[in-house]
Amino acid sequence: MKLSNEPLITEEALRERIGALAEEISRDYANRKPVLLGVLKGAFHFVSDLARAMRCPVEIEFIRAASYAGTESTGQVRVELPISISLRGRDVILVEDILDTGRTASAIRAHLQSQGTASIALCTLLDKPSRRVVPVTAAYTGFSIDDHFVVGYGLDYNERYRELAAVYILQPEA
Ligand code: XMP
Ligand code: MG
């Protein structure tokens, strides 16, 4: 497998879109203090850039959800929520790298609801709507993309490429 020569989404496009998302979220959550709950590891750049562009105070936490080996979903999702605050009564913005089948987001949402959250909104950097198996829609979406396997800006292929500043398509070698 190799990277596309050109990014699918450039650094500049990421910066611009994330700035606009932060504006929108800041307006929607004015006078509240939402918890930005990032899903590790893929969302770590996104949470960082989103948080710095926000205009309302936020708290930042991370959880972990495992469902993937290589590029194929196993359909099983394990949620680990070892965070230091209580989510009871909190407005949570779940920050995901990518929405694919929807299994991960839906499992995490159920898990959060059981913690007594006041509200949960999903904010995903990327969405592959054509891949959806479980009906999930994001309140905030960075980019809707076709069914490519993408890496970079937090997204990995077997733990590689997370450090890249832009999003690339991973293609089979010719
Ligand atoms: P589901 O299917 O549960 O998947 O919505 C969400 C998780 O699957 C991983 N995923 C990808 N990771 N490039 C990646 O690096 C991709 O194109 C891709 N599609 C899905 C990712 O971990 C995400 O949180
Ligand atoms: Mg992954």
Side-chain angles (χ1 to χ4, degrees):
M1 302 287 270
K2 68 171 183 46
L3 291 184
S4 52
N5 289 330
E6 298 300 321
L8 176 66
I9 306 171
T10 63
E11 277 188 75
E12 192 190 354
L14 286 167
R15 198 179 317 113
E16 220 170 86
R17 183 70 190 118
I18 292 168
L21 279 178
E23 290 281 344
E24 192 185 343
I25 297 170
S26 302
R27 271 200 308 276
D28 293 350
Y29 286 82
N31 308 316
R32 289 191 274 173
K33 191 176 65 183
V35 180
L36 289 185
L37 185 60
V39 183
L40 291 173
K41 302 175 194 172
F44 81 108
H45 289 303
F46 184 34
V47 169
S48 172
D49 287 341
L50 189 65
R52 283 180 288 178
M54 293 287 293
R55 295 177 189 281
C56 70
V58 296
E59 286 179 28
I60 298 172
E61 296 285 346
F62 289 94
I63 59 170
R64 208 177 235 292
S67 70
Y68 257 63
T71 59
E72 282 305 311
S73 173
T74 60
Q76 288 293 316
V77 178
R78 194 182 70 248
V79 181
E80 295 167 20
L81 189 76
I83 66 177
S84 52
I85 59 165
S86 165
L87 293 178
R88 180 158 300 279
R90 299 301 305 268
D91 295 306
V92 175
I93 302 173
L94 183 64
V95 184
E96 277 256 37
D97 52 357
I98 189 164
L99 198 50
D100 189 57
T101 64
R103 286 191 182 105
T104 307
S106 139
I108 296 174
R109 181 184 281 273
H111 198 91
L112 295 178
Q113 267 161 352
S114 75
Q115 313 279 309
T117 48
S119 70
I120 304 166
L122 177 60
C123 174
T124 188
L125 178 68
L126 306 175
D127 188 6
K128 293 195 224 176
S130 67
R131 293 263 306 163
R132 204 73 88 250
V133 172
V134 177
V136 180
T137 42
Y140 307 98
T141 301
F143 299 88
S144 208
I145 63 172
D146 292 335
D147 182 15
H148 303 295
F149 195 83
V150 291
V151 296
Y153 196 71
L155 291 143
D156 74 304
Y157 175 65
N158 292 340
E159 299 305 324
R160 286 198 58 200
Y161 307 118
R162 291 194 199 276
E163 72 279 19
L164 301 178
V167 175
Y168 295 81
I169 296 175
L170 197 65
Q171 310 163 316
E173 232 130 342

